Amino acid sequence: MNMHSLILRTAGNFLLPLLLLFSVFLLLRGHDEPGGGFIAGLVAAGAIVLYVFSMDIASARRLLRVDPRDLLGAGMVIAVLSGAPAAFLGQPYFTAQWWEFGLPGGGELKLSTVLIFDIGVYLVVVGAVLTIILNLAEAED
Amino acid sequence: MLYAILSTFVLAALAPWVHRLTGRYSGWVLALLPAALFLYFASFLPAINAGEVVILVTPWMPGLDIQLSFLVDGLSLLFALLISGIGFFIVSYAGRYLEKSRDLGRFYVLILSFMGSMLGLVLADNLVAMFVFWELTSVTSYLLIGYNHEDLKARKAALQGLIVTVGGGLALLAGIVMLAIAGGSYELSEILNSGDAVREHALYLPLLILILLGAFTKSAQVPFHFWLPNAMAAPTPVSAYLHSATMVKAGIYLLARLNPSLGGTEVWFTVLALFGAVTMFVGVFLSFRSTGIKSVLAYSTVMALGMLTMLIGIGTETALLAAMAFLLAHSLYKGALFLVAGILDHEAGAKDFLQTGGLRAALPVTSAFAILAALSMAGVLPLFGFVAKELMLESVLGAPGLVPLLALLAIASAILGVGVAAIVGIRPWFGPRVETPKTPHEAPPALVAGPVVLASLGLVFGLGPGLAEGGILAAAAQAVNGGVPVDAYLALWHGLNWPLAISVLALVAGLFLYSRWERVRELLAWVDTASRYGPERGYDKMMDGIIGFSDWQTRVLQNGYLRFYIMFIIVATALMVGVTAQIFGVSVGPLAIADLRVYEMAIVAIMALSALFAVLTRSRLGAVAALGSFGFTVALIFVLFSALDVGITQILVETLTVILLVLVLFRLPGFLGLSPWWVKLRDATIALAAGGMVTLLILSTHSAREFDSIAQELIEWSVPEGYGRNVVNVILVDFRTLDTLGEIFVLALAAVGVYAMIRFRAEDRR
């Protein structure tokens, strides 16, 4: 699936890193501002799909390095495991755990199992969308 | 205790690696766990024999009041010791027996998981936990019977065993729930103390029937006995362990366990004694006319299970002690004999008694201990089998009713039992040498260890019955008797009495029957024809019926046309909404149309036009684009009502949907107007009805408020409880994590489904 469009190809090359970065941004800020794992995952998947349209599937797969199905599995595992710390602390599974760190320069870093769960969601969404789209696109060849 | 049971599952998960690391010694290495567990359980012995009952509690699902509690008394300890003790020999035996099987690693996984499930079953105090373990034993049994999964017969037998036992398990589940209602608790330790309340409860009869269904199917009582001989398709260590020494006794365990709260009634006695006695006779009868080594042993196991059921049904103190003694005796001799059957197969290639004869010289050690075990089976002085059998006969003669019938069946079974023992103990070893498929030679230590120890224990306990009684059996019988010590004792010599006379008669008559074995088998040839109309035929008919029915409904409901699937889904949804609306009534409040802004009306107009266009256009691409424009306007509405997250998601999903549709679009055939007018009319009706229902639903949810909205609370909690200002995200990943987990699981499953569909189609075409 190659559109052979110079404009699309050039734009795709620039847009991909930007979109991926944006998706991570959305993922991280999701707890306080619009965003979150689901939206960020869709954006990232969209970025890769754009790359598929501007280049071709084989180079998209090379870019990914891993099979999207592995992302799917890894995401599920991460999401399920994010509930485990609570269990070790004797709380019901999936009780959120928060750790706050002061950063040099007055900032504050909030880490949590919730974020880990959201990363799992992110990976599952990316994996699911890409598994479907890449295979559908390949099947036509 | 929890860790003891968990350890088996942990080791089961690691077993394939242990097997790879230790190679041919894997059997011995893995057998260390059952050995350690045996010692652990043995450490409870002093306390239990002092009359204590140990209850260990771990909270499991505190919200549902389900605890992982364990009950250690004489009965559960006797079973736990048998399971771990025999388990030791089975695992070490299997390491050698299945040495050449490439699935040995998988076998360890299954057999250790089974061991853990069985231990959980007999030690659980909570009924729900017990039931979970009960079902786990059925599942592991299924996998173990089907171990030779390339063999159609093995797979069929596995499925049969599973369906019969799990079918009974379903009945048992219902029975357990009723028992908990009647007994006022899910904890066995409490139910056992409220026996009168249970017996006088209105649910007593239904719950008894359901629980008996569970116990009878598991323990292969007539008419559910047919699955057990078929289960012999499993490798021999499995037959020895699951289908003789442990799992099939789970039903017996349940009956014995519940005896204090369910037993002592007329129904209990009649049903158990009758079914047990008939099973006992049918089992030994079928055993005597079989020639396959394992089927002879399997049917004689059916007999033993029947006898145990009968003894628990009789329920006198002598009978309860007899049941416990016979349980131990049977596990010892039958475990040993099954392992010998495996040796005959492994070392001589013999699977049928007719293929064997005169093997004493070739297998000196095996034959000696096989004969010892067979003597115990026949109930010959001074073996433990004799002690147990004397007590059994004494209990039958002292039964509270039906004495003539029970005694007749018991004497007949005793005679045939001796005959069966003779087949096992004489046929392969004495007489003229019969050519076996393989040149026979003595088995290695790993294979002989089990028969040697188990058969010897039969002799030790026979010579010193007090050892077994004081060791565990008295405590076990006490537990079955509801915590009251039983007024009976085990002895090798009870003096000259009726049981002894019957024993002697049985010995003589049994040996006579054995000497005419071939002739008797010929006379019994009609059984083959008759058995074609037995309960197994009923099972086959039922399975055919079920398969036929699912075939038919699959053809009708899943005919492969996407448009029918969609139609069914939409019609069903519309009907459900419609019927519910009919029943509960729908009120649509006044609509504040005057409040609509101009731009809102414009958006709605765009939506309506897109939908209309999507329906009417003759171009697929046009339809996709129209649907896309519809989706984007919906997103716009979300944004207008400040649901920013939902709006963004909608836009992204819309984008990807359009891409997806474009990818599949050109695969579809051209747009043809082939449908006749009535199909169009039907589809239009369905579409309008479904659309109307959804509109009604939305309008009514808007106006009907049965409960206060929780939205405000969620918004208030968001920052203090969830540390986040984005309420939508906080709900998704914190407040309702489990829902989100379910959703991403569905998403992952859908992706895998699509992947499989595309890939396998591509492979099919190649």
Side-chain angles (χ1 to χ4, degrees), chain B residues 79-138:
Chain B
F79 270 91
L81 287 171
L82 280 175
I83 295 162
S84 52
I86 297 181
F88 166 76
F89 293 111
I90 296 294
V91 173
S92 54
Y93 182 96
R96 190 67 206 261
Y97 184 79
L98 294 169
E99 198 175 18
K100 300 211 171 62
S101 163
R102 65 191 156 87
D103 291 332
L104 182 54
R106 188 161 63 87
F107 178 84
Y108 287 134
V109 176
L110 295 175
I111 200 98
L112 288 169
S113 315
F114 166 76
M115 191 188 300
S117 319
M118 192 67 206
L119 284 172
L121 162 56
V122 297
L123 289 164
D125 187 30
N126 186 287
L127 281 175
V128 176
M130 189 204 76
F131 178 75
V132 170
F133 286 121
W134 176 285
E135 293 292 75
L136 275 177
T137 61
S138 291

Side-chain angles (χ1 to χ4, degrees), chain A residues 45-85:
Chain A
I48 307 276
V49 171
L50 182 66
Y51 191 76
V52 170
F53 279 107
S54 64
M55 307 292 280
D56 54 46
I57 302 163
S59 42
R61 282 208 185 266
R62 268 199 303 283
L63 184 83
L64 273 175
R65 284 163 198 274
V66 290
D67 194 301
R69 277 178 300 154
D70 297 341
L71 293 180
L72 207 65
M76 282 310 297
V77 170
I78 290 173
V80 170
L81 287 185
S82 74

Side-chain angles (χ1 to χ4, degrees), chain B residues 1-291:
Chain B
M1 181 59 71
L2 180 61
Y3 294 110
I5 291 169
L6 278 182
S7 67
T8 60
F9 291 107
V10 172
L11 188 66
L14 300 176
W17 285 282
V18 176
H19 171 51
R20 219 168 293 160
L21 276 178
T22 51
R24 52 179 311 189
Y25 300 105
S26 55
W28 290 112
V29 174
L30 290 168
L32 288 176
L33 179 72
L37 287 176
F38 183 82
L39 294 178
Y40 170 70
F41 291 129
S43 73
F44 282 93
L45 276 175
I48 299 303
N49 279 323
E52 274 182 52
V53 173
V54 184
I55 295 175
L56 303 153
V57 180
T58 318
W60 185 16
M61 298 179 224
L64 291 174
D65 207 18
I66 294 174
Q67 308 170 331
L68 216 49
S69 44
F70 297 102
L71 169 69
V72 188
D73 63 1
L75 181 64
S76 53
L77 196 58
L78 172 63
F79 270 91
L81 287 171
L82 280 175
I83 295 162
S84 52
I86 297 181
F88 166 76
F89 293 111
I90 296 294
V91 173
S92 54
Y93 182 96
R96 190 67 206 261
Y97 184 79
L98 294 169
E99 198 175 18
K100 300 211 171 62
S101 163
R102 65 191 156 87
D103 291 332
L104 182 54
R106 188 161 63 87
F107 178 84
Y108 287 134
V109 176
L110 295 175
I111 200 98
L112 288 169
S113 315
F114 166 76
M115 191 188 300
S117 319
M118 192 67 206
L119 284 172
L121 162 56
V122 297
L123 289 164
D125 187 30
N126 186 287
L127 281 175
V128 176
M130 189 204 76
F131 178 75
V132 170
F133 286 121
W134 176 285
E135 293 292 75
L136 275 177
T137 61
S138 291
V139 173
T140 41
S141 158
Y142 164 71
L143 294 168
L144 283 166
I145 299 173
Y147 176 72
N148 294 318
H149 53 85
E150 282 160 7
D151 178 9
L152 177 69
K153 242 184 83 194
R155 291 203 305 271
K156 216 176 149 221
L159 191 63
Q160 192 182 54
L162 182 76
I163 287 180
V164 174
T165 53
V166 169
L170 275 180
L172 176 65
L173 178 61
I176 279 177
V177 174
M178 289 189 197
L179 179 62
I181 294 170
S185 167
Y186 272 100
E187 300 299 309
L188 275 168
S189 45
E190 286 171 37
I191 292 171
L192 295 184
N193 290 327
S194 49
D196 288 331
V198 175
R199 278 188 288 268
E200 278 152 27
H201 202 275
L203 286 173
Y204 175 70
L205 198 60
L207 79 84
L208 180 68
I209 292 171
L210 290 168
I211 288 177
L212 288 185
L213 265 176
F216 282 7
T217 48
K218 195 84 166 179
S219 284
Q221 300 293 305
V222 170
F224 305 112
H225 63 285
F226 58 87
W227 73 266
L228 185 57
N230 291 338
M232 294 298 132
T236 308
V238 175
S239 310
Y241 196 38
L242 273 72
H243 305 121
S244 171
T246 59
M247 189 191 87
V248 287
K249 296 215 175 87
I252 305 296
Y253 166 78
L254 188 69
L255 297 177
R257 170 55 77 211
L258 295 177
N259 182 45
S261 55
L262 295 181
T265 60
E266 190 73 21
V267 200
W268 173 269
F269 165 70
T270 318
V271 174
L272 260 64
L274 271 184
F275 273 87
V278 169
T279 305
M280 170 174 76
F281 180 72
V282 169
V284 74
F285 176 76
L286 293 173
S287 172
F288 190 69
R289 57 162 294 280
S290 305
T291 59

Side-chain angles (χ1 to χ4, degrees), chain B residues 456-485:
Chain B
S456 308
L457 278 177
L459 182 63
V460 172
F461 289 150
L463 290 173
L467 206 61
E469 187 184 356
I472 180 78
L473 292 181
Q478 179 184 345
V480 183
N481 199 30
V484 185

